[in-house]
Amino acid sequence: MKNLLIVVLSFCPLLSFCAGEGHEWEQFLYQLSELEDIESSSWESSFDLLCDLEENPININTASREDLEQFPFLTAKDIEDISEYLYRYGPMKSLGELVMIKDLSYYKRRLLFYFTYAGDVHKKVFPSLKNIVKYGKHEIVGTLKVPFYNRKGDINGYLGYKYKHSIRYDFDYGDYVRLGFLGSQDAGEPFFAGRNKMGYDFYSFYLVLKKLGHIKTLALGRYRLRFGMGLVINNNFGFGKLSTLSSMGRGSSNIRAHSSASDGNYLQGAAGTFNILKGLDVSLFVSSRKFDATLNKGDSTIATILSSGYHRTKTEMDKKNNSSHFLFGGNVDYRSGRFYVGATAVYTSLDKELVPKTTAVYRKHYAHGKTFYNIGVNYGYTGSRFSFSGETATGGCKAMATINTISYNISDRMSVLALQRFYSYKYYALFAESFSEGGAVQNESGIYVGLTWRPISSLNIMAYTDFAYFAWPKYQASNSSRSSDNLLQLTFMKSKWTFAARYRIKVREKDNADKTYLINKIDHRGRLSAAYSSNELRLKTQVDLAYTSYKENSMGWMITQNAHYKLRKTINLDLSFGYFKTDSYDSRVYSYEKGMLYSFSFPSFYGNGIRCAFVASCDFLKSFTFIAKVGTTKYFDRDQIGSSYQMIAHSSATDLDLQLRIRL
């Protein structure tokens, strides 16, 4: 009976959503995004993670729990259900079998087609060097961005030319070996000149081995990692409130290569996870690297640790690699049945003392010192209906942070999640990243409750409410303050059509104009969209609305049309056009548009204007893919764009992106 179902499912319509059809997961990521998410540094890390997973898909038949935990849209129960299906029925012969896991939603099944494949199951023996060299896959990607305009800094101020470019090489052998390097150059940075005599401004090198006997993962070079809920260390990925609801707030522990152009959010050295006994894993890591910092005048202590990675001007170049850290730590993870418990410890030493400027009261409890340590305990249980997870941490700051989640599957169609967090205003950890309203694991306590409900198979409802309290003053709030955040999103899918609606209201206390008392800043945001999808054609129309009430009222809106057409089997065309009109930056709007491979493309707009982008990709000679993108933004309410060195003395700006990928 199972074999008959497999034959039928192998030809199911889901197969139309293969990688060649475009990056539909980017649309999913955009649907789970909010204003704060896209503007946070963790968003780029999350995007890089999914790009890596798309280019290096996982064999679902041999995937470990750690492999499946990399997917941010899967809950702990989803992972258990997939593992249980494989244990009970054996390897999948096609990903169409995912439909037989009844609690796995249609949208999640569709997304898994981009990041997994149903491959053969071999004995868990690490391949020989001969086979790795012979059967490994090579990928080379070159990218160039050409602006058809000059910024003020391009004429006088920047050390380099106005072109942005990068080169990327990646070698992989299944789930076992990944080796690569990346060189990246931002516009305005010197190339083979000045302090960049070795060529690119930024390089990344990495080697990752997996499933090497008792070595689950071994990373050398530049890497990222996350343990537990991220209260001690997490520079791997992080999402906002909607995505937390999608994954039901589960934590994860993993190590991966740093293969992106981000210059400020990685470790350098070695990291590994080792299986000691059944259910017992130990991870160790060490890092030594230089980083950018703003130094205090006079004593050369560190005022601010920088992560932008820009070295375009003499001032920015003087800050390049002017400080360093030495870090080591470990994690112990034990699992027995559905229960798990773990512990993480990290010690960091800086070559200069960190002394943030505390003239502003909200900075008083920022991380400070020359040596830091943090320890945390994470724990959880995954049941068929009830699950919980959490982490509690402390450190040299002598303060505590804790986050705890409880989720319950009321039925196959309805799940609820409750999340509690308390981050003392005195707690700090240099590499912490976790769920928060205020953007940091510090000075916040709150309660979050979310609901996902599929009343019928074609309708999905997601809703949450979140209340937060900030005991110590924050930026633009001179006293203790509060916030509330509420969202409702509906998605209806029928045949080839998808309709979505979202409304969000956020209230946060901030200073009044005279900074004598707090007043509410109220943000209303809405989104309506309709999408049509077939094998050759995809269309999507979207309307975004924003209304902000604070010191002044501000309203904005944008209507966007996206179209994708597949011409034959080798050519893909994408067109996006949008018109926007907003009163100010506070009512800015975002629009998704397709970009280059490994490219982050969720631009924001404010003022009055239009945005148009055209992307064409072509596969040729089996191993080559060429992608070109032309994008232009025209403003009707200004004669110049940007400010300072980034100022463009025109009302419009046009860019050309070119990319060549070779896969062997």
Side-chain angles (χ1 to χ4, degrees):
M1 182 66 181
K2 180 194 170 188
N3 291 335
L4 177 61
L5 283 172
I6 290 171
V7 172
V8 175
L9 293 170
S10 296
F11 295 94
C12 71
L14 282 173
L15 289 178
S16 66
F17 295 97
C18 62
E21 291 293 308
H23 299 296
E24 186 166 312
W25 61 265
E26 292 184 33
Q27 291 279 12
F28 169 79
L29 193 64
Y30 181 61
Q31 290 298 328
L32 289 182
S33 70
E34 298 168 39
L35 195 64
E36 298 81 0
D37 299 333
I38 295 176
E39 295 178 339
S40 72
S41 60
S42 64
W43 187 255
E44 184 176 358
S45 300
S46 305
F47 184 84
D48 292 337
L49 169 67
L50 292 177
C51 284
D52 285 345
L53 289 172
E54 183 186 29
E55 295 302 318
N56 302 278
I58 293 170
N59 183 354
I60 198 168
N61 289 325
T62 60
S64 64
R65 173 185 52 79
E66 290 85 359
D67 292 332
L68 296 175
E69 282 182 345
Q70 295 182 79
F71 302 123
F73 50 85
L74 293 181
T75 68
K77 186 177 183 300
D78 291 334
I79 295 171
E80 289 289 334
D81 288 345
I82 293 172
S83 300
E84 183 179 351
Y85 179 87
L86 293 171
Y87 175 77
R88 181 175 295 182
Y89 299 109
M92 297 183 188
K93 294 186 178 180
S94 90
L95 291 179
E97 287 190 57
L98 289 171
V99 77
M100 299 172 69
I101 304 175
K102 65 177 183 177
D103 290 344
L104 195 63
S105 71
Y106 168 80
Y107 208 31
K108 292 181 180 181
R109 295 196 307 267
R110 198 165 78 175
L111 280 165
L112 282 171
F113 271 75
Y114 294 95
F115 308 118
T116 65
Y117 67 96
D120 295 333
V121 178
H122 302 288
K123 292 182 179 180
K124 294 182 180 180
V125 177
F126 194 80
S128 65
L129 179 61
K130 179 180 178 180
N131 284 339
I132 292 173
V133 173
K134 183 176 181 179
Y135 299 109
K137 297 179 180 179
H138 304 263
E139 178 184 85
I140 303 173
V141 178
T143 305
L144 172 66
K145 187 181 187 71
V146 181
F148 293 107
Y149 51 82
N150 287 317
R151 300 179 180 89
K152 181 180 178 180
D154 297 327
I155 300 171
N156 184 19
Y158 288 157
L159 301 174
Y161 48 64
K162 62 182 181 180
Y163 308 108
K164 178 180 180 179
H165 53 92
S166 65
I167 185 72
R168 175 188 180 116
Y169 168 76
D170 207 70
F171 171 87
D172 72 274
Y173 182 90
D175 301 333
Y176 298 98
V177 180
R178 187 178 180 198
L179 169 71
F181 75 87
L182 177 138
S184 177
Q185 191 80 18
D186 287 311
E189 295 175 338
F191 184 59
F192 280 110
R195 288 185 57 184
N196 291 342
K197 293 181 180 179
M198 297 300 292
Y200 284 105
D201 182 74
F202 174 75
Y203 288 97
S204 183
F205 304 88
Y206 50 87
L207 169 64
V208 178
L209 306 176
K210 290 188 175 183
K211 303 176 182 178
L212 181 59
H214 288 282
I215 301 176
K216 284 192 167 184
T217 304
L218 178 63
L220 302 175
R222 295 182 170 176
Y223 64 91
R224 293 177 177 176
L225 47 77
R226 166 176 171 161
F227 295 108
M229 306 290 284
L231 299 188
V232 174
I233 188 166
N234 172 27
N235 63 351
N236 199 344
F237 66 88
F239 288 99
K241 297 174 183 177
L242 267 178
S243 55
T244 296
L245 186 57
S246 179
S247 65
M248 282 292 153
R250 65 167 173 81
S252 63
S253 299
N254 52 67
I255 301 169
R256 74 180 185 95
H258 176 67
S259 58
S260 78
S262 174
D263 194 8
N265 195 24
Y266 66 89
L267 300 177
Q268 178 176 274
T273 298
F274 311 90
N275 178 242
I276 306 302
L277 300 169
K278 183 179 180 181
L280 178 63
D281 293 339
V282 174
S283 299
L284 301 172
F285 49 89
V286 61
S287 172
S288 177
R289 59 157 293 203
K290 294 181 178 181
F291 59 85
D292 298 357
T294 299
L295 303 182
N296 291 308
K297 294 180 180 179
D299 58 4
S300 294
T301 55
I302 298 172
T304 307
I305 296 174
L306 303 175
S307 59
S308 69
Y310 288 127
H311 306 115
R312 302 162 298 185
T313 65
K314 184 180 183 303
T315 300
E316 291 176 345
M317 186 61 77
D318 288 342
K319 297 176 182 179
K320 182 178 181 179
N321 294 336
N322 62 0
S323 303
S324 65
H325 80 226
F326 176 75
L327 174 153
F328 67 90
N331 170 268
V332 178
D333 183 89
Y334 178 72
R335 295 176 181 265
S336 178
R338 296 181 179 271
F339 290 91
Y340 64 89
V341 63
T344 307
V346 177
Y347 174 85
T348 306
S349 174
L350 306 180
D351 70 328
K352 303 178 183 69
E353 187 176 2
L354 178 59
V355 184
K357 296 179 180 179
T358 57
T359 50
V361 65
Y362 69 88
R363 293 175 175 266
K364 182 176 181 180
H365 297 289
Y366 278 17
H368 57 277
K370 193 171 183 180
T371 60
F372 307 83
Y373 74 88
N374 293 90
I375 56 175
V377 177
N378 62 287
Y379 36 82
Y381 168 82
T382 303
S384 58
R385 289 193 176 273
F386 170 80
S387 299
F388 74 85
S389 61
E391 183 174 18
T392 299
T394 185
C397 55
K398 298 180 181 179
M400 186 183 76
T402 185
I403 181 171
N404 299 277
T405 70
I406 297 175
S407 63
Y408 184 70
N409 297 319
I410 298 173
S411 68
D412 294 343
R413 295 181 178 271
M414 181 181 290
S415 300
V416 293
L417 168 70
L419 181 149
Q420 170 272 336
R421 75 271 191 194
F422 169 77
Y423 309 146
S424 168
Y425 63 84
K426 293 184 178 181
Y427 179 82
Y428 52 77
L430 294 182
F431 299 95
E433 177 77 37
S434 192
F435 183 100
S436 70
E437 165 62 31
V441 183
Q442 186 182 50
N443 186 27
E444 179 173 329
S445 58
I447 295 291
Y448 167 95
V449 178
L451 168 75
T452 60
W453 181 31
R454 284 184 295 136
I456 56 177
S457 59
S458 55
L459 177 63
N460 186 62
I461 299 173
M462 300 179 73
Y464 71 71
T465 183
D466 182 53
F467 296 92
Y469 173 70
F470 312 102
W472 191 259
K474 294 186 70 66
Y475 177 64
Q476 294 185 338
S478 301
N479 296 296
S480 301
S481 58
R482 295 172 175 81
S483 74
S484 67
D485 188 5
N486 305 274
L487 179 141
L488 173 65
Q489 177 169 292
L490 293 83
T491 305
F492 179 79
M493 294 177 289
K494 190 68 173 178
S495 185
K496 297 180 180 180
W497 288 90
T498 301
F499 301 92
R502 173 196 290 189
Y503 172 68
R504 182 190 186 195
I505 178 172
K506 183 175 180 180
V507 182
R508 184 160 182 176
E509 293 180 331
K510 291 194 171 186
D511 288 325
N512 66 346
D514 299 326
K515 296 186 178 181
T516 54
Y517 59 90
L518 300 179
I519 60 176
N520 287 333
K521 179 182 180 182
I522 305 175
D523 284 307
H524 301 267
R525 291 190 174 268
R527 178 182 298 165
L528 297 171
S529 66
Y532 170 84
S533 181
S534 67
N535 289 343
E536 295 81 21
L537 180 66
R538 290 204 302 268
L539 300 170
K540 183 176 183 180
T541 303
Q542 181 168 296
V543 178
D544 285 280
L545 304 169
Y547 179 77
T548 300
S549 174
Y550 182 33
K551 299 173 184 178
E552 295 179 350
N553 295 334
S554 178
M555 185 171 184
W557 60 276
M558 182 173 187
I559 182 168
T560 310
Q561 178 64 55
N562 290 292
H564 168 87
Y565 182 67
K566 185 172 184 178
L567 183 64
R568 301 175 183 174
K569 293 183 178 181
T570 58
I571 299 176
N572 289 275
L573 306 175
D574 289 87
L575 175 66
S576 63
F577 178 84
Y579 175 84
F580 57 91
K581 185 176 178 60
T582 79
D583 294 334
S584 69
Y585 180 76
D586 282 344
S587 56
R588 65 196 179 279
V589 288
Y590 286 87
S591 176
Y592 164 78
E593 62 182 43
K594 186 173 180 179
M596 302 290 99
L597 296 172
Y598 310 107
S599 175
F600 184 75
S601 188
F602 299 103
S604 66
F605 305 97
Y606 69 97
N608 181 213
I610 58 174
R611 170 66 181 178
C612 183
F614 176 74
V615 184
S617 64
C618 177
D619 298 323
F620 60 98
L621 299 179
K622 295 184 179 181
S623 300
F624 292 79
T625 300
F626 179 73
I627 306 173
K629 175 182 178 179
V630 178
T632 185
T633 305
K634 168 66 177 178
Y635 291 91
F636 303 129
D637 60 346
R638 68 194 72 174
D639 296 323
Q640 66 182 40
I641 304 171
S643 60
S644 188
Y645 285 132
Q646 289 291 92
M647 188 193 74
I648 302 169
H650 299 284
S651 61
S652 63
T654 301
D655 296 274
L656 171 66
D657 291 89
L658 301 172
Q659 189 173 71
L660 177 65
R661 178 173 70 175
I662 305 172
R663 305 186 76 174
L664 303 172

